[in-house]
Amino acid sequence: MTRRDAARNWQHIVDTGRTFLDEGRPLRLNEVAREAAIGVATVYRHFPTAEALLETLARPGLEKLVREAEAALRGDDAWAAFAGFLVAGIDAQLADPALQPIFAATTHELPETAELVARLDALTGELLAWAHTAGRIRPHVQRADVVRLMCGVVFAATVHAAPGERPGLTRRYLDVVLEGLAVRA
């Protein structure tokens, strides 16, 4: 097999995996192989586990969130930067079903995923520290609280809602969370 064939197979597996996620289907490598019409051994050679494929699918979204957090830190207003990044995180999770399982996982298969998640955690911590320093957020709120609240907002808006209702619900729930986190002048 040539490198070109290997690259084409890799991309076809990724595209098929994306279709599975977008349709809400479980990411099972044997089924991905069957639907992609690629040998199971080839799929496993590229992606030894379903988690490795999931993390590969999530990577562009994680990279985009890192860029958005870095841009938020260059802003002028701590609260607007913090809240804006949380909105971006919520929107990203709604747009890409690969992200929420990555955020919920305690370990990651691929080193790149672990690095990106660690970078996002650090950036979230920096945004939170900036909001604390500016006196805009309750002092007892920690980074882990923010991460859990964001996962909770997405889960609450997706568990019992039709897809078309989810963006409005997540914004409403996020507004409630932000209202609770903010310090009043």
Side-chain angles (χ1 to χ4, degrees):
M1 177 178 294
T2 68
R3 279 189 220 192
R4 183 176 294 164
D5 291 335
R8 190 174 29 250
N9 283 341
W10 184 91
Q11 188 61 55
H12 192 52
I13 295 163
V14 168
D15 292 344
T16 304
R18 172 56 61 195
T19 299
F20 272 58
L21 283 183
D22 290 346
E23 292 174 354
R25 295 162 56 191
L27 203 56
R28 295 190 180 105
L29 294 182
N30 288 0
E31 292 176 21
V32 169
R34 184 172 36 259
E35 188 153 318
I38 292 176
V40 173
T42 300
V43 171
Y44 278 92
R45 194 169 28 258
H46 286 288
F47 301 99
T49 65
E51 290 78 17
L53 177 54
L54 177 69
E55 291 178 20
T56 299
L57 294 169
R59 185 174 184 169
L62 293 170
E63 290 170 340
K64 183 178 180 200
L65 281 173
V66 166
R67 288 190 304 274
E68 290 184 15
E70 290 169 343
L73 283 165
R74 292 189 298 271
D76 296 331
D77 180 279
W79 181 255
F82 177 74
F85 176 66
L86 295 185
V87 168
I90 293 290
D91 288 347
Q93 289 182 65
L94 287 177
D96 186 353
L99 290 176
Q100 193 173 20
I102 299 302
F103 292 139
T106 56
T107 61
H108 299 95
E109 187 82 14
L110 305 176
E112 311 86 60
T113 305
E115 291 169 16
L116 285 166
V117 170
R119 180 73 179 133
L120 271 173
D121 284 347
L123 290 165
T124 301
E126 289 178 45
L127 285 162
L128 180 61
W130 185 21
H132 277 143
T133 301
R136 299 295 308 272
I137 195 164
R138 296 174 187 267
H140 65 279
V141 176
Q142 300 174 8
R143 185 201 52 77
D145 299 326
V146 173
V147 171
R148 289 178 183 126
L149 286 169
M150 293 307 94
C151 287
V153 165
V154 172
F155 179 76
T158 57
V159 71
H160 294 296
E165 297 175 303
R166 293 172 184 166
L169 286 174
T170 54
R171 290 297 171 94
R172 191 168 81 210
Y173 296 162
L174 181 58
D175 286 346
V176 171
V177 168
L178 290 172
E179 185 73 24
L181 294 174
V183 168
R184 299 289 160 247

